[in-house]
Amino acid sequence: MLSYRHSYHAGNFADVLKHLVQVAVLDHLRLKDKPFLVHDTHGGAGLFAVDDAHMQKTGEYRDGIGRLWERRFEAPLINRYLNVVAGFSRPGALSHYPGSPAISAALLRDQDRLQITELHSTDFELLEARFGGDRRIRLARQDALAGIKALLPPVHKRGLVLIDPSYELGGDEAATLEAVEEGLRRFNTGCFAIWYPVLERRRADRFAQRLMALAPKHLRAELCVLRDGGARGMTGSGMVVLNPPWTLGEQLQTALPILHRTLDQGGGTQRLVLSS
Ligand SMILES: C[S@@+](CC[C@H](N)C(=O)[O-])C[C@H]1O[C@@H](n2cnc3c(N)ncnc32)[C@H](O)[C@@H]1O
């Protein structure tokens, strides 16, 4: 049974890095008129009200989007991400934080498509209520791997596959590797962006390396807000991007040190690994 609800964690430091990368990839795809597809394997609920009991209970967003909100930085990508997030709130107050489906929907053009798979019944109903009427968006209450098999490849061979598991089950890393391999077999021109948590250093490194080994062109961006082993739970998180836009490495080179300075909670690190 799935118990993870992203509503407790929306807007935290991990979401900031994840959604910053998502915005960068989508903006790159939008540079050409040709249609693209976003395939979001773990949709979550789509959009989160900041005054909701779940977000308020953990307050994690305060050390994520809360530290960036209404500020401007010497990194165009951070400012662009903040503008996208601000599009969901009234001026002045952070009222809503967008999940990956809402970010994609906001950046989709008429000719583009979004496919979302999500297993949790409550979150799936929220997705249906929010996006059910949008003809550009297809929702499936389906397992991530089954969705990749059923819904890829896209007609036009451009797009982003966003893979954001909750890693709540022991086999989630293996399942993610299998899903990425299957996705690449079907859609090897696609950009694949995979989120991973840093709970234990060696395990995170091993997993990220195995993901990067799946495609010759890749990057790994990691932001830790606490020193390794400095907390019981997650001390950081990262994104492995396979077939990244050629501009992403440079954008992150500027953005990551600023995110680190702004979001650090004590002894954290940032790193960017680029394939040659
Ligand atoms: C980290 S959350 C996704 C957050 C979302 N991508 C965002 O950025 O707003 C992970 C989601 O995956 C869902 N999930 C867990 N296992 C799944 C599976 N095997 N297939 C599809 N969805 C799954 C969970 O119910 C949860 O909503």
Side-chain angles (χ1 to χ4, degrees), residues 2 4 6 18-19 40-44 48 99-100 118-120 123 142-144 164-166:
L2 294 173
Y4 179 93
H6 197 65
K18 177 197 314 169
H19 295 148
D40 191 337
T41 56
H42 298 74
F48 305 93
S100 54
E118 167 58 51
L119 267 187
H120 197 289
D123 282 350
Q142 201 165 30
D143 165 68
D164 181 21
S166 35

mmCIF file of all heavy atoms in Angstrom, residues 2 4 6 18-19 40-44 48 99-100 118-120 123 142-144 164-166, ligand 1:
data_model
loop_
_atom_site.group_PDB
_atom_site.id
_atom_site.type_symbol
_atom_site.label_atom_id
_atom_site.label_comp_id
_atom_site.label_asym_id
_atom_site.label_seq_id
_atom_site.Cartn_x
_atom_site.Cartn_y
_atom_site.Cartn_z
ATOM 1 N N LEU A 2 0.485 2.247 -0.812
ATOM 2 C CA LEU A 2 1.272 3.477 -0.866
ATOM 3 C C LEU A 2 0.821 4.428 0.229
ATOM 4 O O LEU A 2 -0.361 4.711 0.364
ATOM 5 C CB LEU A 2 1.066 4.163 -2.214
ATOM 6 C CG LEU A 2 1.581 3.426 -3.449
ATOM 7 C CD1 LEU A 2 1.151 4.155 -4.705
ATOM 8 C CD2 LEU A 2 3.088 3.304 -3.390
ATOM 9 N N TYR A 4 2.902 7.359 0.928
ATOM 10 C CA TYR A 4 3.546 8.656 0.685
ATOM 11 C C TYR A 4 2.555 9.644 0.079
ATOM 12 O O TYR A 4 1.834 9.326 -0.850
ATOM 13 C CB TYR A 4 4.735 8.464 -0.269
ATOM 14 C CG TYR A 4 5.447 9.754 -0.599
ATOM 15 C CD1 TYR A 4 6.546 10.158 0.143
ATOM 16 C CD2 TYR A 4 5.020 10.563 -1.645
ATOM 17 C CE1 TYR A 4 7.203 11.341 -0.152
ATOM 18 C CE2 TYR A 4 5.665 11.743 -1.950
ATOM 19 C CZ TYR A 4 6.750 12.128 -1.206
ATOM 20 O OH TYR A 4 7.392 13.309 -1.511
ATOM 21 N N HIS A 6 2.793 13.582 -1.385
ATOM 22 C CA HIS A 6 3.750 14.668 -1.635
ATOM 23 C C HIS A 6 3.307 15.978 -0.989
ATOM 24 O O HIS A 6 4.120 16.892 -0.799
ATOM 25 C CB HIS A 6 3.967 14.848 -3.137
ATOM 26 C CG HIS A 6 5.206 15.632 -3.437
ATOM 27 N ND1 HIS A 6 6.459 15.171 -3.127
ATOM 28 C CD2 HIS A 6 5.391 16.878 -3.955
ATOM 29 C CE1 HIS A 6 7.361 16.076 -3.456
ATOM 30 N NE2 HIS A 6 6.740 17.118 -3.958
ATOM 31 N N LYS A 18 14.443 19.951 -8.295
ATOM 32 C CA LYS A 18 13.712 19.141 -9.286
ATOM 33 C C LYS A 18 12.947 20.027 -10.276
ATOM 34 O O LYS A 18 13.037 19.869 -11.491
ATOM 35 C CB LYS A 18 12.741 18.241 -8.521
ATOM 36 C CG LYS A 18 11.842 17.379 -9.334
ATOM 37 C CD LYS A 18 10.670 16.883 -8.482
ATOM 38 C CE LYS A 18 11.101 16.356 -7.124
ATOM 39 N NZ LYS A 18 9.957 16.122 -6.210
ATOM 40 N N HIS A 19 12.209 20.985 -9.739
ATOM 41 C CA HIS A 19 11.348 21.802 -10.593
ATOM 42 C C HIS A 19 12.140 22.852 -11.365
ATOM 43 O O HIS A 19 11.737 23.274 -12.456
ATOM 44 C CB HIS A 19 10.225 22.413 -9.745
ATOM 45 C CG HIS A 19 9.293 21.361 -9.193
ATOM 46 N ND1 HIS A 19 8.644 21.475 -7.994
ATOM 47 C CD2 HIS A 19 8.940 20.134 -9.695
ATOM 48 C CE1 HIS A 19 7.908 20.376 -7.780
ATOM 49 N NE2 HIS A 19 8.077 19.552 -8.792
ATOM 50 N N ASP A 40 5.141 12.244 -17.334
ATOM 51 C CA ASP A 40 5.424 12.405 -15.900
ATOM 52 C C ASP A 40 4.998 11.097 -15.219
ATOM 53 O O ASP A 40 3.810 10.811 -15.096
ATOM 54 C CB ASP A 40 4.609 13.608 -15.404
ATOM 55 C CG ASP A 40 4.991 14.057 -14.003
ATOM 56 O OD1 ASP A 40 5.536 13.244 -13.241
ATOM 57 O OD2 ASP A 40 4.713 15.225 -13.664
ATOM 58 N N THR A 41 5.988 10.309 -14.786
ATOM 59 C CA THR A 41 5.673 8.947 -14.324
ATOM 60 C C THR A 41 5.066 8.896 -12.920
ATOM 61 O O THR A 41 4.409 7.925 -12.570
ATOM 62 C CB THR A 41 6.944 8.077 -14.294
ATOM 63 O OG1 THR A 41 7.909 8.725 -13.465
ATOM 64 C CG2 THR A 41 7.497 7.858 -15.689
ATOM 65 N N HIS A 42 5.332 9.907 -12.106
ATOM 66 C CA HIS A 42 4.851 9.937 -10.715
ATOM 67 C C HIS A 42 4.272 11.336 -10.477
ATOM 68 O O HIS A 42 4.958 12.233 -9.991
ATOM 69 C CB HIS A 42 5.986 9.673 -9.724
ATOM 70 C CG HIS A 42 6.633 8.325 -9.865
ATOM 71 N ND1 HIS A 42 7.486 8.006 -10.894
ATOM 72 C CD2 HIS A 42 6.552 7.208 -9.083
ATOM 73 C CE1 HIS A 42 7.914 6.753 -10.747
ATOM 74 N NE2 HIS A 42 7.359 6.246 -9.658
ATOM 75 N N GLY A 43 2.999 11.494 -10.832
ATOM 76 C CA GLY A 43 2.443 12.844 -10.909
ATOM 77 C C GLY A 43 2.220 13.529 -9.569
ATOM 78 O O GLY A 43 2.300 14.744 -9.468
ATOM 79 N N GLY A 44 1.877 12.777 -8.527
ATOM 80 C CA GLY A 44 1.469 13.428 -7.276
ATOM 81 C C GLY A 44 0.115 14.098 -7.484
ATOM 82 O O GLY A 44 -0.647 13.741 -8.387
ATOM 83 N N PHE A 48 -0.470 22.446 -4.906
ATOM 84 C CA PHE A 48 -0.603 22.353 -3.449
ATOM 85 C C PHE A 48 -0.919 23.719 -2.845
ATOM 86 O O PHE A 48 -0.231 24.701 -3.149
ATOM 87 C CB PHE A 48 0.703 21.810 -2.845
ATOM 88 C CG PHE A 48 1.094 20.493 -3.460
ATOM 89 C CD1 PHE A 48 1.962 20.443 -4.544
ATOM 90 C CD2 PHE A 48 0.555 19.301 -2.996
ATOM 91 C CE1 PHE A 48 2.306 19.234 -5.140
ATOM 92 C CE2 PHE A 48 0.883 18.082 -3.588
ATOM 93 C CZ PHE A 48 1.763 18.050 -4.662
ATOM 94 N N GLY A 99 3.047 21.426 -8.305
ATOM 95 C CA GLY A 99 3.738 20.159 -8.493
ATOM 96 C C GLY A 99 4.172 20.045 -9.947
ATOM 97 O O GLY A 99 3.856 20.915 -10.783
ATOM 98 N N SER A 100 4.863 18.945 -10.262
ATOM 99 C CA SER A 100 5.372 18.810 -11.629
ATOM 100 C C SER A 100 4.263 18.865 -12.692
ATOM 101 O O SER A 100 4.474 19.462 -13.751
ATOM 102 C CB SER A 100 6.212 17.533 -11.763
ATOM 103 O OG SER A 100 5.505 16.388 -11.330
ATOM 104 N N GLU A 118 -0.037 8.030 -12.131
ATOM 105 C CA GLU A 118 -0.026 8.186 -10.665
ATOM 106 C C GLU A 118 -0.856 7.046 -10.093
ATOM 107 O O GLU A 118 -1.959 6.780 -10.569
ATOM 108 C CB GLU A 118 -0.611 9.558 -10.288
ATOM 109 C CG GLU A 118 -0.956 9.739 -8.812
ATOM 110 C CD GLU A 118 0.229 9.537 -7.868
ATOM 111 O OE1 GLU A 118 1.284 10.147 -8.072
ATOM 112 O OE2 GLU A 118 0.093 8.734 -6.909
ATOM 113 N N LEU A 119 -0.323 6.396 -9.064
ATOM 114 C CA LEU A 119 -1.010 5.216 -8.512
ATOM 115 C C LEU A 119 -1.939 5.529 -7.345
ATOM 116 O O LEU A 119 -2.926 4.835 -7.137
ATOM 117 C CB LEU A 119 0.041 4.207 -8.030
ATOM 118 C CG LEU A 119 0.492 3.120 -8.999
ATOM 119 C CD1 LEU A 119 1.400 2.141 -8.263
ATOM 120 C CD2 LEU A 119 -0.684 2.376 -9.623
ATOM 121 N N HIS A 120 -1.617 6.539 -6.571
ATOM 122 C CA HIS A 120 -2.388 6.790 -5.334
ATOM 123 C C HIS A 120 -3.795 7.284 -5.676
ATOM 124 O O HIS A 120 -3.948 8.256 -6.419
ATOM 125 C CB HIS A 120 -1.649 7.827 -4.489
ATOM 126 C CG HIS A 120 -2.107 7.849 -3.064
ATOM 127 N ND1 HIS A 120 -3.337 8.343 -2.696
ATOM 128 C CD2 HIS A 120 -1.506 7.437 -1.928
ATOM 129 C CE1 HIS A 120 -3.461 8.243 -1.382
ATOM 130 N NE2 HIS A 120 -2.372 7.677 -0.893
ATOM 131 N N ASP A 123 -4.564 11.104 -4.781
ATOM 132 C CA ASP A 123 -3.839 12.047 -5.638
ATOM 133 C C ASP A 123 -4.323 11.945 -7.082
ATOM 134 O O ASP A 123 -4.397 12.954 -7.792
ATOM 135 C CB ASP A 123 -2.322 11.810 -5.546
ATOM 136 C CG ASP A 123 -1.746 12.404 -4.256
ATOM 137 O OD1 ASP A 123 -2.490 13.138 -3.567
ATOM 138 O OD2 ASP A 123 -0.577 12.137 -3.943
ATOM 139 N N GLN A 142 -1.951 4.386 -13.153
ATOM 140 C CA GLN A 142 -1.153 3.267 -13.631
ATOM 141 C C GLN A 142 0.220 3.313 -12.982
ATOM 142 O O GLN A 142 0.740 4.382 -12.655
ATOM 143 C CB GLN A 142 -0.999 3.442 -15.151
ATOM 144 C CG GLN A 142 -0.646 2.222 -15.910
ATOM 145 C CD GLN A 142 -0.881 2.428 -17.410
ATOM 146 O OE1 GLN A 142 -0.765 3.530 -17.917
ATOM 147 N NE2 GLN A 142 -1.202 1.365 -18.107
ATOM 148 N N ASP A 143 0.827 2.165 -12.863
ATOM 149 C CA ASP A 143 2.200 2.067 -12.386
ATOM 150 C C ASP A 143 3.143 2.743 -13.391
ATOM 151 O O ASP A 143 2.916 2.687 -14.605
ATOM 152 C CB ASP A 143 2.545 0.585 -12.235
ATOM 153 C CG ASP A 143 4.025 0.367 -12.089
ATOM 154 O OD1 ASP A 143 4.575 0.768 -11.050
ATOM 155 O OD2 ASP A 143 4.652 -0.171 -13.024
ATOM 156 N N ALA A 144 4.224 3.343 -12.866
ATOM 157 C CA ALA A 144 5.142 4.102 -13.717
ATOM 158 C C ALA A 144 5.699 3.272 -14.869
ATOM 159 O O ALA A 144 5.698 3.707 -16.028
ATOM 160 C CB ALA A 144 6.285 4.646 -12.852
ATOM 161 N N ASP A 164 9.984 10.684 -10.867
ATOM 162 C CA ASP A 164 10.103 11.257 -9.522
ATOM 163 C C ASP A 164 9.454 10.322 -8.492
ATOM 164 O O ASP A 164 8.430 10.656 -7.892
ATOM 165 C CB ASP A 164 9.412 12.636 -9.545
ATOM 166 C CG ASP A 164 9.488 13.339 -8.211
ATOM 167 O OD1 ASP A 164 10.369 13.009 -7.391
ATOM 168 O OD2 ASP A 164 8.646 14.239 -7.981
ATOM 169 N N PRO A 165 10.059 9.151 -8.272
ATOM 170 C CA PRO A 165 9.444 8.181 -7.350
ATOM 171 C C PRO A 165 9.539 8.647 -5.896
ATOM 172 O O PRO A 165 10.362 9.496 -5.552
ATOM 173 C CB PRO A 165 10.307 6.918 -7.538
ATOM 174 C CG PRO A 165 11.161 7.174 -8.734
ATOM 175 C CD PRO A 165 11.310 8.648 -8.834
ATOM 176 N N SER A 166 8.708 8.038 -5.070
ATOM 177 C CA SER A 166 8.779 8.379 -3.636
ATOM 178 C C SER A 166 9.807 7.514 -2.908
ATOM 179 O O SER A 166 10.138 7.787 -1.766
ATOM 180 C CB SER A 166 7.395 8.224 -3.001
ATOM 181 O OG SER A 166 6.689 7.154 -3.584
HETATM 182 C C1 LIG B 1 7.487 12.405 -5.073
HETATM 183 S S1 LIG B 1 5.822 12.189 -5.461
HETATM 184 C C2 LIG B 1 5.626 12.976 -7.010
HETATM 185 C C3 LIG B 1 5.658 14.474 -6.956
HETATM 186 C C4 LIG B 1 5.464 15.153 -8.267
HETATM 187 N N1 LIG B 1 6.291 14.578 -9.307
HETATM 188 C C5 LIG B 1 5.760 16.622 -8.146
HETATM 189 O O1 LIG B 1 6.878 17.048 -8.495
HETATM 190 O O2 LIG B 1 4.869 17.361 -7.711
HETATM 191 C C6 LIG B 1 5.760 10.493 -5.906
HETATM 192 C C7 LIG B 1 4.374 10.026 -6.328
HETATM 193 O O3 LIG B 1 4.515 8.737 -6.929
HETATM 194 C C8 LIG B 1 3.356 7.974 -6.638
HETATM 195 N N2 LIG B 1 3.750 6.577 -6.857
HETATM 196 C C9 LIG B 1 4.412 5.742 -6.026
HETATM 197 N N3 LIG B 1 4.697 4.565 -6.639
HETATM 198 C C10 LIG B 1 4.232 4.688 -7.899
HETATM 199 C C11 LIG B 1 4.264 3.833 -9.048
HETATM 200 N N4 LIG B 1 4.823 2.614 -8.988
HETATM 201 N N5 LIG B 1 3.731 4.279 -10.195
HETATM 202 C C12 LIG B 1 3.161 5.505 -10.276
HETATM 203 N N6 LIG B 1 3.092 6.367 -9.218
HETATM 204 C C13 LIG B 1 3.621 5.962 -8.056
HETATM 205 C C14 LIG B 1 3.030 8.346 -5.215
HETATM 206 O O4 LIG B 1 1.674 8.106 -4.939
HETATM 207 C C15 LIG B 1 3.395 9.844 -5.193
HETATM 208 O O5 LIG B 1 2.265 10.631 -5.432
#
